[in-house]
Amino acid sequence: MPRLFITAEDIRRSSGELVVEQGTVVTPQALEAAAAAGVSLVHAGGEPYSEPSPDRGPDAAQAVHHLPHLPEPPADLAGATGVVVTAVGKNRPGVLAEITGALAAAGADVRDISQRTVEDYFHLVLTIALGNAAEFEGFKQQMECLGGEHDYVVRVMHERVFRFMHRI
Amino acid sequence: MAPFTDQEILETVRMVELETLDIRTTTLGINLLDCADPDLESSAEKVYAKVVHHARNLVETADSIAADYGVPIVNKRIAVTPIALVAGASGSEDLVPYARAMDAAAKEVGVDFIGGFSAYVHKGFTRADDALFHSIAPALAETEHVCASVSLATSRAGINMDAVARFSDVVLDTAARTKDTGGLGCAKLVCFANPVEDNPFVAGAHIGTGEGETVLNVGVSGPGVVRSALARLGGEVDLLAVAETIKRTAFKVTRMGELVGREAARRLGTTFGIVDVSLAPTPAVGDSVADILELIGVDRSGAPGSTAAVAMLTDAVKKGGAMASSSVGGLSGAFIPVSEDQGMIDAVAEGALSLAKLEAMTTVCSVGLDMVAVPGDTPAATITGIVADEMAIGMVNHKTTAVRIIPVPGKGPGETVEWGGLLGTAIVQDPGKFSCQVLHKRGGRIPAPIHSYRN
């Protein structure tokens, strides 16, 4: 097992070159001390020290398998990301076209749609599938820019939120 | 697909948008036992390096999850191994350098608080525990993000009354050293009976010796959600229906926490520990446990019936949480921190909530006397008495209890002190003119109750 830390005290006791094992963390104070004392910190291969990724302990590797299985995505999504889009606001001609137009431009597949109007106001709920999970953030930003303060508000949420909250 | 009804979808959106549902904290627990070193400076250096090394991406990860799932994550925190355990090897009598290292690490990674300047002294003191007690007041006065907690009693060991008396001195010393901010240092200091090792909430957050190398714990909140659900229910239905409504709401809130916790642990590559499902109020309007008690049916928090209402609320929250997740832990229940809850502040102002009634309510809430302001000239013996009473409640009932008490320098009963932010406003409460000098001076230990001998 490699030593866990190299501290400024360790640097003071060494000179020239100090070989840092893989997994050892050099403290910031030790880095400063090494720079001041002209001690070079290198890995066994000769390349300069770089901070290792954190070792989260023996449990971490198993952690993913230990999560008990709560409601998981339905089979028909086949790799797509389920997203729920809700819009609430004042009704006017062209609202639905604006929202669905933006969805079409983003290449989103509408799986379910429901809309109600109460007097001058509407609420719209769309369940959609997004082909590529990586697009989610951009898609969310794009959709939430629609509407405005006295017009309507769009909310984009991951379908998992609803699955966790409403399914046993 | 369409697996959800409109009603379900709109309910979730409403909870987030209008009812202040949030994830109160994602707390990364980091074991520091391997930072022990005979040299104090080197040990503190390791503490800083390890905390920063593990928590570097915590804030960024939490923010990305908040954006992805559309649920705010209010605080990002770190909990570490009780420092007294790490400091033993150094033999130092001044442990403030550890607090400085923790504070600097918290600043570096951008978290709100770091908990774990702690010691377990429910049976006795090691040299390091003794040093930690000496260091708490200067550490809290000097640092900004460090929280301290001590374990003074357990159902197994009884109450260490020597430690309780010393804790009172530490509280008064901390208040005196932070008098410019109304004794605010004491808001970062708490004592426990039966502390939990996976508590993600400050000031008591620390990571016990039974925990792994690193673990991610989540605290969910949602008094606003429960309050709105009860408001919709109205005043006509019976208490079974009220309990059922709280339970169902707690289920949904807990599931949200479980989702965020799993995802945060996955993204950080660590273990998901627990969801602490606690109704933790904030001074924001509507985010109040006192309001819930009033909706259950008492005129003001602290009125007769309040203890029964808190009992039902705490139990229903735990039941809903237990159904939602197999990993419910921490304190889980309802918090009644006085200064952090606008409804509680109002109840004190109107004379509805006395210190005595508050203590009664803590017998059935999930923590204890929390954020209680008393006069700055309160004698140590009185604080000892207040703490010992609360520890006794925890010890006898096999329950976690805590005291976070703030003697506000220069203020007397009825005066107001403004701490701002999440800590809110407090009205100084009157602990009464009678004290317990003899009990305070006796010291020793209150033995564990007979029903703790279960082996």
Side-chain angles (χ1 to χ4, degrees), chain B residues 119-126 129 133 150-164 192 194-195 395 443-448 452-453:
Chain B
Y120 294 154
V121 293
H122 40 258
K123 195 88 171 277
F125 282 82
T126 62
D129 294 333
F133 265 67
V150 290
S151 167
L152 302 180
T154 67
S155 294
R156 282 282 186 175
I159 307 175
N160 183 348
M161 289 298 291
D162 291 325
V164 171
F192 279 108
N194 298 318
M395 174 182 76
R445 192 159 55 89
I446 295 182
S452 72
Y453 304 144

Side-chain angles (χ1 to χ4, degrees), chain B residues 213-248:
Chain B
E213 184 70 19
T214 61
V215 59
L216 191 106
N217 296 324
V218 166
V220 293
S221 185
V225 181
V226 174
R227 177 182 170 275
S228 304
L230 292 183
R232 280 195 296 279
L233 200 62
E236 301 300 316
V237 298
D238 76 358
L239 286 168
L240 270 180
V242 173
E244 189 64 25
T245 303
I246 297 168
K247 222 167 71 178
R248 284 167 187 269

Side-chain angles (χ1 to χ4, degrees), chain B residues 416-433:
Chain B
T416 302
V417 55
E418 189 82 45
W419 288 310
L422 267 185
L423 297 171
T425 308
I427 296 168
V428 177
Q429 288 183 285
D430 186 3
K433 61 180 177 182

